[in-house]
Amino acid sequence: MSVAAALLSACQFSGSSPIDIGTPAPGKLRPGLSSDLGAREHPKVVATYGGVYEDRGAERAVAQVVGRLVEASDDPSQSYRITILNSPAVNAFALPGGYLYVTRGLLALATDTSEVAAVLAHEMAHVTASHAIKRQQRAEATELAGKVLGNVVRDPDQARAAIISSQLSFARFSQIQELEADGVGVRTLSRARYDPFAAARFLNAMGLYAAYQSAQGTTSSAPDFLSSHPTTPERVQTAVRAARQIGAPGVGERDRDAYLTKIDGMLYGDDPLEGFVRGRSFLHKALGISFTVPRGYVLENSPEAVLASNSAGTALRFDGADLTDFESLTAYMTSGWINGLIRDSVRETTVNGLPAVTASAITDGWTFRIAVVRIGRTGYRFIFASRKGGNAFAADYQKTLESFRQLTPTERARLRPLRIKVIRADAGDTPEKLAVGMSGIEPARRLELFTILNQTPAGKPIPAGTALKLVVD
């Protein structure tokens, strides 16, 4: 694990002009770790998360709360640099020296200023407690212990048990840090005069949103003992207990209307430069391509590839490759980039009039179906993987491949990014009525997303005048 990976995992609350509150301080670092560690890792973080997201309203929404939180924190002398990352993922984390990060996906999920303040207060707690450095020290010690045990202990079962014990200890160490930061964050919220129950409310929204994004539509509450984070129910309970020690629900500011006004028009979902996920379809305006996965699959877009999976354990990766140096598609398919390739399975064909090549592979207990479709010098690669194989696996691969096509000029012109649109409820409005106005979302799932984004239970009237978020193109 790299230094950057270890430090970023310190918290997942799972452009060129960042918001500066003073000048980031070096923090208290142990000998051997540079005092400018946060500054050195900052460009890597920004690159990994799609760059800096520049939006005046979103920047104001974040900057508004920071000053109050700093004054109310355990270390008011600590300076911070807050960066909004251009990622649809719901995430926030901290690096040593006061470098804080929130994604635009997190800002889109929040319903008021107090929830954003809860996230930032949590991350500030990590900084003031030097959690990232402590975690890095423990990670290095755990890694060293594993290497020593693996080299010295002759009994493999004994060595394995010792390593697992060490990993469990490290995981729990990280979980304790998260719960500690949750408690400190709630107290900081209260001192800054924000709603102390905002942390529990937002953690619950995060759990619902994670369930919405999963293939099954549910998430497990069972603890993962090798996870660095406690389960969401455990964190919600901790946050609620901390808030109840301060007062009853209703104390402190929430500031819903002002917050939603600031994020009105903010980008939602995928960055246009990386293509769009629309339900079960992926569309890329610049490349002019599209494909659709079968029902039961959930698509995930990233800068490197488009990924998909279903509840049966089938996985898909879609990406591109340069075919300039290959005389034919068969030559590329057999050039050695596929382990376990069954050479007799390689076939050249066409997909919606485009030249293509297909093949199968078997390696390490996995069955693969691969296809490469050529447009100009680019090969668009579909890689399906399954441990079971079978007819359903083959049918899903074939349906997906046959759906690949080039977009028409009209389709490309009409393809626009999704954004947050803030409206106000009229008398008699319900989630069921307003969710119909969402676009770019599968119709069957619009109501679920609407209720999560707005924290408005289905089947209940919405008070007139309530500010609400829609996702529209």
Side-chain angles (χ1 to χ4, degrees), residues 287-357:
L287 299 177
I289 59 171
S290 171
F291 68 87
T292 302
V293 294
R295 292 189 181 278
Y297 283 78
V298 172
L299 282 168
E300 178 185 351
N301 195 11
S302 75
E304 295 80 22
V306 180
L307 308 175
S309 61
N310 68 1
S311 58
T314 299
L316 160 67
R317 178 185 175 94
F318 172 82
D319 61 15
D322 185 0
L323 303 182
T324 301
D325 296 332
F326 298 93
E327 295 182 357
S328 67
L329 285 170
T330 297
Y332 174 70
M333 186 69 85
T334 58
S335 62
W337 62 279
I338 304 171
N339 290 326
L341 177 68
I342 302 173
R343 289 189 172 260
D344 290 345
S345 70
V346 179
R347 299 282 187 278
E348 292 205 14
T349 182
T350 59
V351 174
N352 290 319
L354 299 168
V357 62

Side-chain angles (χ1 to χ4, degrees), residues 64 88 91 146 148 154 207 380-381 427 468 473:
Q64 173 184 340
N91 206 349
V148 171
R154 293 185 178 181
Y380 293 100
R381 307 188 299 188
L468 299 162
D473 58 13

